[in-house]
């Protein structure tokens, strides 16, 4: 899996932090889905631009945010791409923008 992983310390409760992150994801058009046995947040279907994914996990007082894009259509998407590099640069920047918003809010 090629994912960009960012660890963000937080001081609020896990529930409050989770609710804040979910609110940010929903306001940016992400929907919660099951992806290869994981619960992740997805935006797009891959028709005009790469599908965008964000996964959130908690470990004590640490929020772990994973982000990646995947080109292709629907479940026939290609491999995961981390958020660096020039391929699918526009969707990658979009995912990073949301992750930065999450970091600022936490």
């Amino acid at each position: 899996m090629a994912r960009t992983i960012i660890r963000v310390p937080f001081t609020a409760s896990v529930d409050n932090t989770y609710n804040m992150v979910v609110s940010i994801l929903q306001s940016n058009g992400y929907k919660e889905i099951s992806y290869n046995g994981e619960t992740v947040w997805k935006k797009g279907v891959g028709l005009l631009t790469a599908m965008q994914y964000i996964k959130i996990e908690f470990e004590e007082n640490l929020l772990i945010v994973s982000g990646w894009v995947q080109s292709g259509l629907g479940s026939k998407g290609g491999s995961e791409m981390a958020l660096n590099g020039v391929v699918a640069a526009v969707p990658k920047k979009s995912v990073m923008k949301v992750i930065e918003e999450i970091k600022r809010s936490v």
Side-chain angles (χ1 to χ4, degrees):
M1 290 184 267
R3 300 179 180 184
T4 298
I5 300 171
I6 297 172
R7 291 166 173 79
V8 184
F10 65 93
T11 56
S13 72
V14 171
D15 287 341
N16 287 345
T17 303
Y18 175 81
N19 291 334
M20 182 174 40
V21 172
V22 166
S23 176
I24 292 169
L25 291 169
Q26 289 174 336
S27 70
N28 281 282
Y30 285 81
K31 300 198 181 321
E32 189 176 39
I33 66 160
S34 178
Y35 170 83
N36 294 335
E38 299 177 278
T39 299
V40 301
W41 293 82
K42 177 185 175 188
K43 180 178 179 180
V45 294
L47 189 56
L48 299 176
T49 184
M51 296 171 281
Q52 303 169 29
Y53 293 90
I54 294 178
K55 179 179 179 183
I56 57 173
E57 301 172 279
F58 290 90
E59 199 174 272
E60 298 211 11
N61 283 17
L62 194 62
L63 169 64
I64 303 167
V65 183
S66 306
W68 68 97
V69 298
Q70 187 173 357
S71 61
L73 187 58
S75 62
K76 304 285 189 253
S79 61
E80 296 178 6
M81 293 182 278
L83 302 179
N84 54 3
V86 295
V87 176
V90 172
K92 288 177 180 180
K93 286 181 182 178
S94 178
V95 175
M96 278 306 297
K97 181 180 173 187
V98 174
I99 291 174
E100 289 299 323
E101 183 179 349
I102 290 169
K103 283 175 54 178
R104 281 191 308 273
S105 298
V106 171

